[in-house]
Each structure stands twice: as structure tokens, then as C-alpha cells.
Amino acid sequence: MALEFKGVTKTFDLPGGNVLTAVKDITFAVKEGEFVSVVGPSGCGKSTILSMTAGLYQPTSGTVTVSGEVVTKPNPHVGFMLQKDLLLPWRTIIKNVEFGLESRGVAKAERRERALFELERCHLKGFESHYPHQLSGGMRQRAALARTLAIDPDIILLDEPFSALDAQTKLLIQNSFAETIQDAGITTLLITHDLSEAVIMSDRVLVLSERPGTVMCEMPIDLPDRAHPLKRRQMPEVHQHAAEIFSLLRLDQRAA
Ligand code: ADP
């Protein structure tokens, strides 16, 4: 099992002695190479789940396990990508991709070789010497993916990485990410507000309730072509799944 949450509850102490329960009794597992999306209303604890997987927060109760080990500190085997690409503007694209390897003390020649490999895999061959401002938003996100892959993660956590892109770029980048991630065989957890995106990208979708977030439903997406979300978009089942998730979320909102 690549990733497992067992009975995880996370509370935050607020000023004035109040306690906020972000997520409650979360249990789910993600197999190696699986792509799982997490959807749910704002504030239901999606980012908290990613932060606990990355070891940035500890659960208040329950356990989070990555590759069989309980996560107790920031985990070097977990790559994190956000809506903002966070590329360093003063470094070239290849130097950005090498950054994580540099801080891990990887020798120069090996750094360069791995960065070139990841840039080619992310369709950025020829852009090594460009600076981030010379690339489009979609290309910058691909460079950020190359940087994340360069550290050879067991798991990639994606926190709404496509939400700042325009509609057409978003489709192309979803496709390019899906292909690259499937090719690399990496276990992935994606947070998104876009229900269709969750369905076209994933093997499974976790639907969370209003805060405190609990798992309302784990929906398997038994469709072919996970590496080609653009193809999946044409399938009528995608719209049925997205509509089902929407109904679940709306029912939960009414009940709240
Ligand atoms: P989502 O990603 O689903 O929008 P978050 O995981 O960001 O939700 O937040 C869940 C809840 O926990 C929110 O009410 C948020 O305000 C709260 N929260 C998150 N991080 C902290 C923190 N460090 N301290 C206090 N409250 C927090």
C-alpha cells in the first residue's frame, strides 16, 4: 500500500481556547501507482489531508502511513505541487528542476542528467535555458512537475495545480500530466474543485463531507484511458459520475 489513512482526526487549537476539528475519522488507502482525487466543499480539510501526507502536520489521532512507514516528519519521498508553480524567477528552467536535487547534495553531473530526463519527459526539451517568465502558465506547471519528479518521489500531491490555467490550456496540461504520471508509475493524490477533472484524471474519487471532513463516498472510476483525460472527456459515463458526486455534495450541504 503506497498511502494509508487509518482513523485520522485533525484538530487545530484556535485562539481563545477553541478547538476546530478539520477532518474526522478519515480512513482510506491508495495503492501504488493509483491516482485518487479528493473533492469536497471549501474548508472540509482537503489541504489538511495533503499536509498530513507530506508530514507537515501530524494527525491528532489515527495514523498516516506512506510506503509502510508512519509519517512523523516532512517526508522526502513525497512531492508537493500547488496552484502556483513556485519556480524561482532568477534561475533557468533546468536550474529550477535541479533545485531539489541540489539541496539533497546530488552531484552536479547526476543532477544535470536527471533534470534533462525529466524535462524531456514533461515535453520541455529545448527550454532548459529559458527563465520562468519566458514560458506560458501551462509550460511553467510542466516545469514544476519536472522539478517534482526529479526528486524521484513515491507519491505526488497535487493541490489544485490546474485551477489558475485558462480552459483550453487546462485540458492540454491535464492530458500531459496524466500521461507523464502514468508513465512514471507514481501514486498521486489530487485535490480539485472541478468534479469533471476529478473523474477524467482518476482511478477513484474520495468525496468528503462538510467540515469536519469525513469520507462520504469512495467512487471507483472504472473507465479506460486514465492517461488520456481528453479521450475520457468524450465518454458519457464521465458526466454521470460528475453528476452523482454533485448530488452527494448538495445533499450533504442541505443536511448541514
Ligand atoms: P480545504 O482544503 O478543504 O479548503 P483546509 O484543509 O484548508 O480545507 O482547512 C480545513 C479547516 O481547517 C478550515 O476551517 C481551516 O480554516 C482550518 N485550518 C487549516 N489549517 C489550519 C491551521 N494551521 N490553524 C488553524 N486552522 C486551520
Side-chain angles (χ1 to χ4, degrees):
M1 205 60 72
L3 158 65
E4 195 167 15
F5 273 58
K6 265 196 202 157
V8 172
T9 295
K10 176 68 184 167
T11 60
F12 291 106
D13 293 328
L14 300 181
N18 294 323
V19 175
L20 180 148
T21 306
V23 294
K24 199 172 156 196
D25 200 18
I26 299 277
T27 295
F28 69 93
V30 184
K31 285 187 276 210
E32 209 172 307
E34 220 182 353
F35 194 123
V36 172
S37 289
V38 182
V39 300
S42 287
C44 75
K46 300 182 293 298
S47 298
T48 303
I49 287 177
L50 287 202
S51 297
M52 287 191 284
T53 310
L56 303 175
Y57 292 155
Q58 293 302 308
T60 309
S61 59
T63 51
V64 179
T65 319
V66 166
S67 307
E69 284 180 31
V70 176
V71 178
T72 55
K73 56 182 191 307
N75 191 329
H77 304 292
V78 175
F80 216 140
M81 263 193 73
L82 307 170
Q83 184 179 339
K84 284 190 81 149
D85 57 60
L86 303 179
L87 295 171
L88 302 171
W90 59 89
R91 294 183 79 138
T92 59
I93 293 302
I94 192 155
K95 282 277 186 191
N96 264 288
V97 176
E98 284 182 46
F99 184 69
L101 300 172
E102 239 173 86
S103 53
R104 286 169 195 215
V106 176
K108 195 171 174 185
E110 190 188 337
R111 272 191 337 242
R112 186 55 43 128
E113 194 184 329
R114 273 167 63 181
L116 285 169
F117 173 79
E118 296 305 347
L119 282 169
E120 184 163 2
R121 181 145 77 169
C122 294
H123 310 293
L124 284 169
K125 195 169 158 56
F127 293 93
E128 296 84 357
S129 307
H130 285 60
Y131 285 88
H133 76 270
Q134 295 174 304
L135 301 190
S136 67
M139 289 166 99
R140 282 203 302 272
Q141 277 306 46
R142 290 212 303 266
L145 178 62
R147 182 187 54 191
T148 308
L149 289 171
I151 61 161
D152 198 19
D154 294 334
I155 295 180
I156 290 190
L157 307 174
L158 303 171
D159 197 346
E160 301 209 50
F162 314 117
S163 58
L165 303 172
D166 66 77
Q168 201 187 340
T169 306
K170 186 172 169 173
L171 293 178
L172 297 173
I173 296 300
Q174 284 167 341
N175 217 59
S176 148
F177 265 52
E179 219 168 23
T180 308
I181 284 173
Q182 171 119 329
D183 172 50
I186 297 193
T187 311
T188 309
L189 208 51
L190 166 74
I191 285 185
T192 179
H193 277 106
D194 180 337
L195 304 184
S196 300
E197 174 174 292
V199 176
I200 58 172
M201 302 281 301
S202 311
D203 296 310
R204 204 144 42 90
V205 179
L206 287 189
V207 186
L208 299 189
S209 67
E210 293 258 10
R211 198 184 74 220
T214 56
V215 179
M216 279 204 291
C217 161
E218 286 194 48
M219 185 178 286
I221 309 296
D222 291 323
L223 298 175
D225 288 319
R226 198 199 86 190
H228 300 104
L230 274 175
K231 271 196 201 165
R232 274 196 174 182
R233 272 200 109 75
Q234 317 296 325
M235 300 175 189
E237 295 93 331
V238 166
H239 308 291
Q240 285 159 16
H241 281 308
E244 261 175 72
I245 298 171
F246 179 71
S247 305
L248 273 172
L249 292 172
R250 216 171 51 156
L251 278 174
D252 180 51
Q253 235 174 0
R254 283 203 193 135

